[in-house]
PDB file of all heavy atoms in Angstrom:
ATOM      1  N   ALA A 103       7.207  12.682  11.629  1.00 95.00           N
ATOM      2  CA  ALA A 103       6.499  11.744  12.523  1.00 95.00           C
ATOM      3  C   ALA A 103       6.090  10.460  11.775  1.00 95.00           C
ATOM      4  O   ALA A 103       5.634  10.476  10.645  1.00 95.00           O
ATOM      5  CB  ALA A 103       5.205  12.390  13.056  1.00 95.00           C
ATOM      6  N   ASN A 104       6.363   9.354  12.396  1.00 96.00           N
ATOM      7  CA  ASN A 104       5.987   8.009  11.904  1.00 96.00           C
ATOM      8  C   ASN A 104       6.586   7.660  10.544  1.00 96.00           C
ATOM      9  O   ASN A 104       6.033   6.836   9.844  1.00 96.00           O
ATOM     10  CB  ASN A 104       4.459   7.872  11.870  1.00 96.00           C
ATOM     11  CG  ASN A 104       3.850   8.147  13.205  1.00 96.00           C
ATOM     12  OD1 ASN A 104       4.314   7.660  14.218  1.00 96.00           O
ATOM     13  ND2 ASN A 104       2.813   8.932  13.228  1.00 96.00           N
ATOM     14  N   GLU A 105       7.710   8.341  10.203  1.00 97.00           N
ATOM     15  CA  GLU A 105       8.321   8.000   8.952  1.00 97.00           C
ATOM     16  C   GLU A 105       8.840   6.557   8.958  1.00 97.00           C
ATOM     17  O   GLU A 105       8.929   5.946  10.022  1.00 97.00           O
ATOM     18  CB  GLU A 105       9.511   8.943   8.690  1.00 97.00           C
ATOM     19  CG  GLU A 105      10.674   8.708   9.640  1.00 97.00           C
ATOM     20  CD  GLU A 105      11.825   9.704   9.434  1.00 97.00           C
ATOM     21  OE1 GLU A 105      11.766  10.495   8.505  1.00 97.00           O
ATOM     22  OE2 GLU A 105      12.788   9.631  10.229  1.00 97.00           O
ATOM     23  N   LYS A 106       9.142   6.024   7.816  1.00 95.00           N
ATOM     24  CA  LYS A 106       9.762   4.745   7.699  1.00 95.00           C
ATOM     25  C   LYS A 106      11.030   4.919   6.866  1.00 95.00           C
ATOM     26  O   LYS A 106      11.250   5.904   6.279  1.00 95.00           O
ATOM     27  CB  LYS A 106       8.808   3.734   7.068  1.00 95.00           C
ATOM     28  CG  LYS A 106       8.280   4.029   5.713  1.00 95.00           C
ATOM     29  CD  LYS A 106       7.277   2.943   5.289  1.00 95.00           C
ATOM     30  CE  LYS A 106       6.621   3.278   4.024  1.00 95.00           C
ATOM     31  NZ  LYS A 106       5.558   2.308   3.714  1.00 95.00           N
ATOM     32  N   GLU A 107      11.828   3.910   6.900  1.00 94.00           N
ATOM     33  CA  GLU A 107      13.006   3.928   6.076  1.00 94.00           C
ATOM     34  C   GLU A 107      12.602   4.060   4.656  1.00 94.00           C
ATOM     35  O   GLU A 107      11.728   3.305   4.174  1.00 94.00           O
ATOM     36  CB  GLU A 107      13.860   2.645   6.271  1.00 94.00           C
ATOM     37  CG  GLU A 107      15.211   2.730   5.645  1.00 94.00           C
ATOM     38  CD  GLU A 107      16.076   1.502   5.957  1.00 94.00           C
ATOM     39  OE1 GLU A 107      15.975   0.992   7.067  1.00 94.00           O
ATOM     40  OE2 GLU A 107      16.813   1.108   5.070  1.00 94.00           O
ATOM     41  N   GLY A 108      13.078   5.040   3.984  1.00 96.00           N
ATOM     42  CA  GLY A 108      12.720   5.261   2.569  1.00 96.00           C
ATOM     43  C   GLY A 108      11.613   6.298   2.354  1.00 96.00           C
ATOM     44  O   GLY A 108      11.259   6.551   1.207  1.00 96.00           O
ATOM     45  N   THR A 109      11.072   6.872   3.429  1.00 98.00           N
ATOM     46  CA  THR A 109      10.090   7.923   3.256  1.00 98.00           C
ATOM     47  C   THR A 109      10.737   9.065   2.438  1.00 98.00           C
ATOM     48  O   THR A 109      11.850   9.459   2.729  1.00 98.00           O
ATOM     49  CB  THR A 109       9.552   8.442   4.608  1.00 98.00           C
ATOM     50  OG1 THR A 109       8.861   7.406   5.275  1.00 98.00           O
ATOM     51  CG2 THR A 109       8.626   9.647   4.417  1.00 98.00           C
ATOM     52  N   LYS A 110      10.002   9.545   1.440  1.00 98.00           N
ATOM     53  CA  LYS A 110      10.526  10.669   0.632  1.00 98.00           C
ATOM     54  C   LYS A 110       9.752  11.933   0.985  1.00 98.00           C
ATOM     55  O   LYS A 110       8.533  11.882   1.185  1.00 98.00           O
ATOM     56  CB  LYS A 110      10.306  10.358  -0.878  1.00 98.00           C
ATOM     57  CG  LYS A 110      11.126   9.173  -1.307  1.00 98.00           C
ATOM     58  CD  LYS A 110      10.870   8.823  -2.760  1.00 98.00           C
ATOM     59  CE  LYS A 110      11.776   7.768  -3.294  1.00 98.00           C
ATOM     60  NZ  LYS A 110      11.415   6.426  -2.891  1.00 98.00           N
ATOM     61  N   TYR A 111      10.448  13.026   1.086  1.00 98.00           N
ATOM     62  CA  TYR A 111       9.864  14.303   1.462  1.00 98.00           C
ATOM     63  C   TYR A 111       9.956  15.252   0.286  1.00 98.00           C
ATOM     64  O   TYR A 111      10.998  15.464  -0.374  1.00 98.00           O
ATOM     65  CB  TYR A 111      10.683  14.946   2.614  1.00 98.00           C
ATOM     66  CG  TYR A 111      10.565  14.108   3.889  1.00 98.00           C
ATOM     67  CD1 TYR A 111      11.393  13.001   4.079  1.00 98.00           C
ATOM     68  CD2 TYR A 111       9.646  14.415   4.832  1.00 98.00           C
ATOM     69  CE1 TYR A 111      11.276  12.234   5.231  1.00 98.00           C
ATOM     70  CE2 TYR A 111       9.486  13.669   5.985  1.00 98.00           C
ATOM     71  CZ  TYR A 111      10.341  12.586   6.140  1.00 98.00           C
ATOM     72  OH  TYR A 111      10.201  11.816   7.297  1.00 98.00           O
ATOM     73  N   ILE A 112       8.787  15.849  -0.064  1.00 98.00           N
ATOM     74  CA  ILE A 112       8.724  16.862  -1.121  1.00 98.00           C
ATOM     75  C   ILE A 112       8.260  18.152  -0.416  1.00 98.00           C
ATOM     76  O   ILE A 112       7.143  18.163   0.112  1.00 98.00           O
ATOM     77  CB  ILE A 112       7.783  16.475  -2.263  1.00 98.00           C
ATOM     78  CG1 ILE A 112       8.105  15.079  -2.814  1.00 98.00           C
ATOM     79  CG2 ILE A 112       7.822  17.531  -3.372  1.00 98.00           C
ATOM     80  CD1 ILE A 112       7.128  14.512  -3.793  1.00 98.00           C
ATOM     81  N   ILE A 113       9.096  19.115  -0.432  1.00 98.00           N
ATOM     82  CA  ILE A 113       8.880  20.319   0.413  1.00 98.00           C
ATOM     83  C   ILE A 113       8.885  21.577  -0.453  1.00 98.00           C
ATOM     84  O   ILE A 113       9.802  21.813  -1.234  1.00 98.00           O
ATOM     85  CB  ILE A 113       9.953  20.400   1.525  1.00 98.00           C
ATOM     86  CG1 ILE A 113       9.860  19.141   2.432  1.00 98.00           C
ATOM     87  CG2 ILE A 113       9.784  21.681   2.354  1.00 98.00           C
ATOM     88  CD1 ILE A 113      11.003  18.964   3.398  1.00 98.00           C
ATOM     89  N   THR A 114       7.837  22.398  -0.223  1.00 97.00           N
ATOM     90  CA  THR A 114       7.780  23.702  -0.863  1.00 97.00           C
ATOM     91  C   THR A 114       8.701  24.636  -0.077  1.00 97.00           C
ATOM     92  O   THR A 114       8.539  24.849   1.175  1.00 97.00           O
ATOM     93  CB  THR A 114       6.344  24.267  -0.747  1.00 97.00           C
ATOM     94  OG1 THR A 114       5.516  23.437  -1.525  1.00 97.00           O
ATOM     95  CG2 THR A 114       6.270  25.688  -1.270  1.00 97.00           C
ATOM     96  N   THR A 115       9.651  25.186  -0.786  1.00 97.00           N
ATOM     97  CA  THR A 115      10.563  26.164  -0.134  1.00 97.00           C
ATOM     98  C   THR A 115      11.298  26.941  -1.239  1.00 97.00           C
ATOM     99  O   THR A 115      11.458  26.482  -2.370  1.00 97.00           O
ATOM    100  CB  THR A 115      11.608  25.440   0.757  1.00 97.00           C
ATOM    101  OG1 THR A 115      12.466  26.419   1.354  1.00 97.00           O
ATOM    102  CG2 THR A 115      12.427  24.448   0.019  1.00 97.00           C
ATOM    103  N   HIS A 116      11.754  28.115  -0.873  1.00 96.00           N
ATOM    104  CA  HIS A 116      12.556  28.893  -1.806  1.00 96.00           C
ATOM    105  C   HIS A 116      14.078  28.557  -1.537  1.00 96.00           C
ATOM    106  O   HIS A 116      14.946  28.994  -2.301  1.00 96.00           O
ATOM    107  CB  HIS A 116      12.353  30.421  -1.635  1.00 96.00           C
ATOM    108  CG  HIS A 116      12.816  30.929  -0.311  1.00 96.00           C
ATOM    109  ND1 HIS A 116      12.056  30.777   0.838  1.00 96.00           N
ATOM    110  CD2 HIS A 116      13.937  31.530   0.065  1.00 96.00           C
ATOM    111  CE1 HIS A 116      12.713  31.335   1.879  1.00 96.00           C
ATOM    112  NE2 HIS A 116      13.867  31.780   1.436  1.00 96.00           N
ATOM    113  N   LEU A 117      14.347  27.783  -0.463  1.00 97.00           N
ATOM    114  CA  LEU A 117      15.654  27.398  -0.101  1.00 97.00           C
ATOM    115  C   LEU A 117      16.172  26.246  -1.010  1.00 97.00           C
ATOM    116  O   LEU A 117      15.377  25.444  -1.482  1.00 97.00           O
ATOM    117  CB  LEU A 117      15.787  26.970   1.361  1.00 97.00           C
ATOM    118  CG  LEU A 117      15.333  27.967   2.414  1.00 97.00           C
ATOM    119  CD1 LEU A 117      15.261  27.318   3.770  1.00 97.00           C
ATOM    120  CD2 LEU A 117      16.263  29.153   2.429  1.00 97.00           C
ATOM    121  N   SER A 118      17.487  26.136  -1.155  1.00 96.00           N
ATOM    122  CA  SER A 118      18.049  24.953  -1.815  1.00 96.00           C
ATOM    123  C   SER A 118      17.899  23.792  -0.827  1.00 96.00           C
ATOM    124  O   SER A 118      17.660  24.006   0.383  1.00 96.00           O
ATOM    125  CB  SER A 118      19.506  25.165  -2.159  1.00 96.00           C
ATOM    126  OG  SER A 118      20.310  25.191  -0.918  1.00 96.00           O
ATOM    127  N   LYS A 119      18.095  22.584  -1.311  1.00 97.00           N
ATOM    128  CA  LYS A 119      18.011  21.400  -0.456  1.00 97.00           C
ATOM    129  C   LYS A 119      19.026  21.517   0.676  1.00 97.00           C
ATOM    130  O   LYS A 119      18.735  21.236   1.836  1.00 97.00           O
ATOM    131  CB  LYS A 119      18.240  20.124  -1.258  1.00 97.00           C
ATOM    132  CG  LYS A 119      17.974  18.874  -0.500  1.00 97.00           C
ATOM    133  CD  LYS A 119      18.298  17.599  -1.268  1.00 97.00           C
ATOM    134  CE  LYS A 119      17.788  17.643  -2.667  1.00 97.00           C
ATOM    135  NZ  LYS A 119      18.018  16.355  -3.380  1.00 97.00           N
TER     136      LYS A 119
END
Side-chain angles (χ1 to χ4, degrees):
N104 305 315
E105 70 182 355
K106 60 184 173 186
E107 189 174 325
T109 295
K110 294 177 175 78
Y111 295 84
I112 307 173
I113 300 172
T114 296
T115 181
H116 67 280
L117 301 172
S118 71
K119 187 184 317 185

